[in-house]
Amino acid sequence: MKQTVAIIGAQWGDEGKGKIVDRFARPADWVVRYQGGSNAGHTVVVEDEKYVLHLIPSGILHENTLSMIGPGVVVNLRDLFEEIEMLRKNDKSVLERLRVAGRAHVLFPFHRYIDVRSEDKRGEDKIGTTGKGIGPAYLDKVRRRGLRICDLADRDKVHSHCEKIFSELDEGWAEFEKSSVEELAGEYSEYYQQLKDIVVDAPSELDAAYRRGEKILFEGAQGSLLDIDFGTYPYVTSSNPTVGGVVTGSGFPGHRLKSVLGIAKAYTTRVGEGPFPAELTGEMGQWLQDKGGEFGATTGRPRRCGWLDLKILRYTARVNGFTDLVLTKLDVLSGQEKLKVAVDYRGPSGQPINGFPARSEQLAEVEPVYEELEGWDEDITDCSKFSELPAAARDYVKYIEENLQVPVSYLSVGPGRRQFIERKAGL
Ligand code: IMP
């Protein structure tokens, strides 16, 4: 693998990044999460055992890889310790291989409460968040009143912070969270005591690792169209899953990034509200949802499904500068006589749409222009070489890379580690 690689979702998240990171984490010395929090759900299947990781990078499943929760992540410490305990059942060395950035912000239970309450208040205008408190935690960060992991060393500071926030919350809060200020401050100070030996200055660690020639993989959560700046605002998450987030969320300089791998599902899905031009609401959408098992790994919500949208991928390839693409879940498409692919959009009166619309209202009313491609019937879950795929599946892949002018270098044809096709050796 190249020395530094970023793995980034090219659509609305749920592209199957967990499996891809797991795959490429083997030769990596480090896997770094740089944004988001436990709104992510990365599923990895190892020898028939399924792991769903929300906060800890998928690299943790490799014994020679160090995993870092970077400064740009908002960390729910209850979730973190739950995950540590889950992993400890099979591997006692988890804490030794984990590092947490002291500059990462802490996501407290009141952030979750505020998230759920503000969604309720928005009614029909809701975003459809995961309810994990992500937006409120980032809001406190930019309002410059958040607490960071390093601040938990000071119990009095945690106490006075919680006291202040508690006093601002409405009456529903006492129902939501039973702990008193005292208990919460104690709980979070105790978390720090358990973590303090692995709390690090991320830029120093990563710089030293880079200079030693170690391999570093940056693991994006969510997807490019959920990016706060480049996504389908306001129906986005509150961080930057795109490549800029690697830099601001880890303290690693952009010019040292050698490869940016975009992960795209062979069709499109989205969870939560917001425009989705190639969405299929009828039988075909249901078929994709059932066959692809399209239910959220974090919330269990059914994912909305649609055809592959190359207008989206052209846009996200531009934003991120993808050097290669991984096409995932290609096996799900087996069994269709014809497949459609959105190649462009037209406005309501048929006018061309230049670029990718910034306004959600405009995106909601575009009509996709479809190309129809041949489907295939064969089960491809056992294919391990590109040449073993049916001709129509190969043509589908070639069509995508020609349209995007980005090579589809890897394909995933099932959930297992081995169900993977490399058209290019290594990373
Ligand atoms: P939040 O990140 O919980 O604030 O949710 C904002 C939007 O991002 C909602 O539409 C969520 O469904 C979506 N979202 C957040 N995390 C993920 C993810 O990991 N996969 C897919 N969608 C996500």
Side-chain angles (χ1 to χ4, degrees), residues 310 341 343 371 373 394-404:
L310 295 179
V341 174
V343 289
E371 266 306 311
L373 305 180
R394 279 183 274 140
D395 288 346
Y396 188 76
V397 174
K398 286 183 197 154
Y399 184 85
I400 295 168
E401 58 187 3
E402 272 158 30
N403 187 290
L404 302 178

Side-chain angles (χ1 to χ4, degrees), residues 363-385:
L363 191 60
E365 59 182 30
V366 299
E367 273 303 320
V369 177
Y370 289 109
E371 266 306 311
E372 199 169 67
L373 305 180
E374 289 302 315
W376 60 93
D377 231 359
E378 298 87 331
D379 175 1
I380 59 169
T381 53
D382 284 331
C383 294
S384 57
K385 292 198 189 90

Side-chain angles (χ1 to χ4, degrees), residues 309-328:
D309 186 332
L310 295 179
K311 179 99 169 163
I312 288 177
L313 294 183
R314 280 200 300 278
Y315 171 63
T316 61
R318 233 174 270 143
V319 170
N320 293 291
F322 292 141
T323 49
D324 298 272
L325 276 177
V326 184
L327 196 67
T328 62

Side-chain angles (χ1 to χ4, degrees), residues 207-226:
D207 180 65
Y210 180 79
R211 288 173 192 278
R212 287 192 299 268
E214 292 174 10
K215 296 189 162 77
I216 310 172
L217 204 79
F218 294 91
E219 172 178 7
Q222 290 85 50
S224 299
L225 284 189
L226 289 173

Side-chain angles (χ1 to χ4, degrees), residues 12-14 17 39-42 115 127-135 221-223 226 235-238 270-273 298 301 303:
W12 275 292
D14 309 316
K17 295 178 293 296
N39 47 349
H42 291 167
D115 193 2
I127 305 292
T129 73
T130 58
K132 298 288 177 186
I134 305 299
Q222 290 85 50
L226 289 173
Y235 302 99
V236 290
T237 191
S238 303
R270 145 160 238 181
V271 200
E273 310 304 315
T298 299
R301 288 180 292 177
R303 296 177 185 143

Side-chain angles (χ1 to χ4, degrees), residues 279-340:
E279 182 169 15
L280 290 157
T281 46
E283 246 174 58
M284 184 62 202
Q286 190 63 47
W287 185 86
L288 282 170
Q289 193 183 82
D290 293 342
K291 187 135 188 263
E294 297 296 350
F295 297 90
T298 299
T299 57
R301 288 180 292 177
R303 296 177 185 143
R304 298 155 63 191
C305 296
W307 295 117
L308 184 70
D309 186 332
L310 295 179
K311 179 99 169 163
I312 288 177
L313 294 183
R314 280 200 300 278
Y315 171 63
T316 61
R318 233 174 270 143
V319 170
N320 293 291
F322 292 141
T323 49
D324 298 272
L325 276 177
V326 184
L327 196 67
T328 62
K329 292 189 132 178
L330 186 64
D331 54 300
V332 173
L333 295 182
S334 294
Q336 288 297 324
E337 213 174 298
K338 301 275 180 199
L339 296 168
K340 285 188 185 176

